[in-house]
Amino acid sequence: MAALRAAVLVLLGLRLGCAAAAVPLVIWHGMGDSCCNPRSMGYIKKIVENKIPGIYVLSLRIGNNLIEDMENSFFMNANDQVRDVCGQLANDPHLKGGYNAMGFSQGGQFLRAVAQRCPSPPMLNLISIGGQHQGSVYGFPRCPGESSHICDWIRKMLDLGAYTQAVQEHLVQAEYWHDPLKEEDYRKNSIFLADINQERGINETYKKNLMALKKFVMVKFLNDTMVDPPISEWFGFYKSGQAKETVPLRKTSLYTEDRLGLQEMDKAGKLVFLGVKGDHLQFSEEWFDTTVLPFLQ
């Protein structure tokens, strides 16, 4: 009887043209950007809304206005940013049933931290577009947008001591600065990346929460001149003690020891590695439509 009732409901739904509501999407911008820039996140939001009718898209803003949002991408402790976002998501009634997440550049690793630390509401799929999951911007080779004066100051601070307490607590880029020549300093003093990458011990909750994702999609820009090394976008990095030879994710200790659950996720088909020609965050709308949007539908 129950099976017959379910079949009738399905048929009624089809006849009435009912369709399942689109899964909401949460977007987090990168360094030097803001939630609603019409040339970046505003543009992405509009594409998604046009392609997926009825979808709810939340483009995260950290701060009271767009200027604060941009400044906080440089100067607000990443752990505080993640905590703020977790609160935003928990208080948004549109997200109660779960959501997909899409992070650009550092926004990709920050959303991974959200997945690991804040499982409610549940993140379903995580799409990281140019996110530096093993750290970077080693050497800080290029400055985004119109923030060159800020970047010059950041370079000076990183040169003075990326792993000092004062720099770690007040400079976002230092918090995912991964110097392959100073691995011990990184593991001991990095207040953000070393924590979410399980460098100082295993947090089983982090592992369990990340493994709950349906898909973890990582996009690497094949001609990236900003992220060093670009393989960090696929969770690879330099071999320890030098800055020339890199190793892919599957040969890292993070994977072989499965400290974060990535090996098990990989075997289950949950990890997706995508490559796109172009420099950092440079991609066409056609590529986005055909390659990324299917993970949101």
Side-chain angles (χ1 to χ4, degrees):
M1 193 68 180
L4 177 61
R5 180 172 179 271
V8 170
L9 289 173
V10 169
L11 288 172
L12 283 173
L14 291 173
R15 177 168 290 183
L16 293 172
C18 296
V23 176
L25 174 65
V26 173
I27 298 173
W28 198 336
H29 64 79
M31 172 175 63
D33 201 356
S34 66
C35 66
C36 311
N37 185 331
R39 295 181 296 175
S40 56
M41 295 303 99
Y43 177 65
I44 293 295
K45 184 174 185 289
K46 184 179 292 185
I47 290 176
V48 174
E49 290 171 340
N50 287 339
K51 297 292 183 179
I52 308 177
I55 190 172
Y56 172 71
V57 181
L58 172 63
S59 187
L60 293 165
R61 187 186 74 193
I62 315 299
N64 296 317
N65 52 58
L66 301 190
I67 297 298
E68 284 188 12
D69 192 18
M70 184 276 289
E71 291 176 344
N72 285 336
S73 75
F74 291 107
F75 304 122
M76 183 177 178
N77 186 303
N79 295 301
D80 293 338
Q81 292 192 53
V82 169
R83 192 176 300 113
D84 178 279
V85 165
C86 288
Q88 289 188 46
L89 303 185
N91 292 320
D92 191 327
H94 296 92
L95 307 178
K96 287 182 178 179
Y99 64 96
N100 293 322
M102 184 187 306
F104 294 81
S105 196
Q106 69 184 27
Q109 53 179 301
F110 293 173
L111 279 170
R112 174 165 64 87
V114 170
Q116 293 173 210
R117 294 175 177 176
C118 307
S120 181
M123 185 184 296
L124 305 178
N125 296 302
L126 172 57
I127 302 170
S128 169
I129 300 181
Q132 311 93 339
H133 293 285
Q134 281 279 26
S136 159
V137 182
Y138 183 69
F140 211 66
R142 188 165 60 80
C143 190
E146 299 173 357
S147 309
S148 59
H149 62 293
I150 296 178
C151 292
D152 288 340
W153 183 86
I154 289 174
R155 290 188 184 99
K156 291 178 182 178
M157 292 301 100
L158 292 172
D159 287 341
L160 287 174
Y163 299 120
T164 61
Q165 183 176 351
V167 174
Q168 279 289 308
E169 290 181 353
H170 300 288
L171 182 57
V172 171
Q173 288 67 43
E175 294 161 24
Y176 58 86
W177 184 264
H178 188 172
D179 189 337
L181 307 180
K182 297 180 180 178
E183 287 284 357
E184 207 52 46
D185 287 343
Y186 158 70
R187 291 190 185 94
K188 182 179 179 182
N189 298 310
S190 169
I191 66 171
F192 176 70
L193 189 68
D195 175 64
I196 65 169
N197 279 6
Q198 309 273 47
E199 298 283 7
R200 292 188 286 264
I202 306 299
N203 182 326
E204 292 294 342
T205 300
Y206 282 6
K207 186 174 179 178
K208 175 185 175 183
N209 290 343
L210 188 65
M211 290 173 63
L213 289 172
K214 294 180 178 180
K215 293 287 184 183
F216 180 7
V217 181
M218 289 169 270
V219 176
K220 172 187 170 186
F221 290 89
L222 303 179
N223 310 104
D224 206 316
T225 63
M226 184 166 183
V227 175
D228 186 358
I231 200 172
S232 180
E233 296 167 9
W234 281 350
F235 247 114
F237 202 63
Y238 288 117
K239 278 189 174 181
S240 183
Q242 49 86 62
K244 292 183 179 180
E245 187 178 355
T246 60
V247 291
L249 167 63
R250 294 184 180 101
K251 292 187 177 180
T252 65
S253 59
L254 178 68
Y255 184 92
T256 58
E257 296 170 7
D258 210 16
R259 299 198 305 267
L260 205 49
L262 294 172
Q263 183 183 140
E264 193 166 337
M265 292 177 73
D266 192 20
K267 291 178 179 178
K270 291 187 173 186
L271 300 186
V272 179
F273 301 90
L274 301 176
V276 57
K277 291 181 180 179
D279 205 346
H280 194 61
L281 301 187
Q282 302 299 308
F283 54 86
S284 68
E285 183 175 337
E286 180 184 6
W287 174 85
F288 185 82
D289 288 350
T290 59
T291 308
V292 175
L293 282 181
F295 291 102
L296 305 179
Q297 297 171 318

